[in-house]
Amino acid sequence: MKQKKKNYSKNFQQSKNHLVKEYVSELRQNPSSKDWVAIASRRVKKPEELIIKNQKRIVVPKKNCPFENLQKSGNKSPVLIKYLPNKKNWFLQIFENKYPAFQPNHNFITEKKVGPYKVIGGYGYHELLVLKDHYKLLADYSSKELAIILEALQERYCQIAQDKKIQYISIFHNWGKLAGASVYHPHLQIIAIPVIPSRLKHSLISSYNYWRKNHSCVHCEINNFELKEKKRILIKEKNVMAFSPFISVEPFAIRIIPIKHISHFEETPKEIINSIAIVLEKTLKILKKKLNNPDFNLFIHTAPTVEENKYNCYHWHIEIIPKISISAGFELSTGIEITVIDPNEAIKFLKS
Ligand SMILES: [Zn+2]
Ligand SMILES: [Zn+2]
């Protein structure tokens, strides 16, 4: 097997003449996931350069929308409906996706081997939270309305979590084609699956190890660091803040997090949900205004529905990732994102 290596040492000696005095980027490690990110802010001169100017969002008219007449369009009956106070018309509905990626099944989750691969059935839930208004973007909702959306998600989360075959429940919102939204009408999605996804697993295990070693939560430490540094905070309320993480994986990425430790999204008390909604409203409005209504993904990272005692060390939060850049070969092959705006500069720009 051993092959003789070619002698390149002469060429390498010559390349040393090209050593630079200053680094053009910085590799930063996420203390929660242990993932690396490269902050290479010299590749862009100003944050403004990244904004897609003159972007014309194609507004799909109501008449082609599958969420206008829900049942006529073949959607299932809702599992949850919410009305606004004193309003007759529904405000939001949660129902099963017409084309679900996962479904509950009477059979147990059977495991089999296919060659070297482990395979289990796609057991789970795939539901949509559809908002009544076709033209109103998530950024246009008031904090009171956003709190109703968050509480409806908590309620449905708790119902699904009673299914003991489920290990993780993912909640997300895709806005725009670049973010993967196939339907224009604003909606969120809930996907519950019988495994803990590997990206979460890295963060959960690292958070657990950090807790055991330091007797503190890694996200609480990050929050304290951000509060002390003050450079990357976009909004701060009494219980909740929004900031651009030091290890931002995308330009203008924002994390919204309860300042004090709460591991499970569904257990968050109303007072804190209200603060989350206030910070979320402000954040979405700033991003819409300053980044010219960008496509974005919003998702919740929370502790799984299993091993509650172990993962009480986790600290739930919301991540908002504007789709400014596209992951390419290096990112896909290594998992290291190259972020071309320093999060300090991103916040300066968003606050300007
Ligand atoms: Zn619609
Ligand atoms: Zn914490």
Side-chain angles (χ1 to χ4, degrees), residues 127-191:
E127 298 177 351
L128 303 175
L129 183 157
V130 172
L131 294 151
K132 172 77 180 158
D133 198 323
H134 180 88
Y135 296 112
K136 192 169 169 177
L137 314 189
L138 206 60
D140 300 331
Y141 283 88
S142 70
S143 59
K144 284 210 171 80
E145 292 167 325
L146 290 170
I148 294 170
I149 296 170
L150 289 167
E151 281 171 333
L153 290 168
Q154 281 185 307
E155 195 176 329
R156 186 60 190 148
Y157 187 108
C158 291
Q159 289 168 358
I160 295 173
Q162 284 174 17
D163 183 335
K164 295 299 165 213
K165 294 192 199 78
I166 293 302
Q167 297 206 1
Y168 191 76
I169 303 174
S170 169
I171 294 170
F172 57 96
H173 169 63
N174 302 331
W175 173 242
K177 285 242 153 63
L178 291 176
S182 52
V183 175
Y184 175 86
H185 190 123
H187 63 284
L188 290 94
Q189 300 191 49
I190 304 171
I191 292 188

Side-chain angles (χ1 to χ4, degrees), residues 74-140:
N75 292 295
K76 294 234 175 104
S77 312
V79 288
L80 200 145
I81 301 189
K82 292 281 171 197
Y83 298 81
L84 289 177
N86 309 321
K87 290 268 161 64
K88 275 192 198 136
N89 226 330
W90 58 275
F91 169 63
L92 66 83
Q93 287 196 28
I94 299 179
F95 52 87
E96 188 185 49
N97 191 325
K98 200 171 156 187
Y99 307 104
F102 300 92
Q103 265 186 320
N105 186 300
H106 290 298
N107 295 325
F108 289 115
I109 301 162
T110 44
E111 190 181 311
K112 61 179 179 186
K113 289 285 264 178
V114 178
Y117 303 102
K118 179 160 124 180
V119 176
I120 58 172
Y123 186 95
Y125 300 80
H126 186 177
E127 298 177 351
L128 303 175
L129 183 157
V130 172
L131 294 151
K132 172 77 180 158
D133 198 323
H134 180 88
Y135 296 112
K136 192 169 169 177
L137 314 189
L138 206 60
D140 300 331

Side-chain angles (χ1 to χ4, degrees), residues 217 219-220 260-262 313-315:
C217 155
H219 281 286
C220 285
K260 293 222 173 94
H261 189 80
I262 305 177
C313 64
Y314 196 66
H315 192 137

